[in-house]
Amino acid sequence: MFLDSAASSPSPRRVLVVDDHVDAAELLAEWLGLEGFEVECAHDGAQALVFWSRRPAQVVLIDSRLPDIAGGELARQLRTLPGGDRACLIG
């Protein structure tokens, strides 16, 4: 597995999946949830930023082609927000 299982962590790690392909995002979220991660799905960059402002994630999986913002730009914006410097951003 590319991420260590959250089951071995004292508290589940939060993962934010950002993908405009709803089925793909939900399938990935379901799989990660079964592995013990706490997962939230955003389907565009704006929604991802809203979710982040409510509760930052430790890992963010970002689709590079979002309808409203490029994945790289979203990653740059997340890095400037509280907790963004400690998150693992995967694009």
Side-chain angles (χ1 to χ4, degrees):
M1 186 166 139
F2 67 96
L3 295 172
D4 292 334
S5 175
S8 63
S9 298
S11 62
R13 273 183 271 160
R14 288 187 36 75
V15 177
L16 176 58
V17 175
V18 187
D19 195 329
D20 60 321
H21 294 97
V22 176
D23 290 340
E26 290 178 358
L27 181 64
L28 181 56
E30 183 178 340
W31 175 68
L32 289 168
L34 291 172
E35 292 294 323
F37 293 93
E38 183 181 326
V39 186
E40 198 162 28
C41 289
H43 302 297
D44 60 38
Q47 188 179 37
L49 292 169
V50 169
F51 287 171
W52 184 275
S53 69
R54 286 194 322 231
R55 191 162 172 220
Q58 286 82 30
V59 177
V60 185
L61 304 173
I62 305 171
D63 180 10
S64 61
R65 293 179 160 182
L66 296 169
D68 61 342
I69 185 172
E73 178 56 29
L74 176 59
R76 282 188 284 284
Q77 288 184 30
L78 289 172
R79 285 282 183 231
T80 68
L81 298 175
D85 59 334
R86 294 182 306 276
C88 176
L89 307 181
I90 302 168

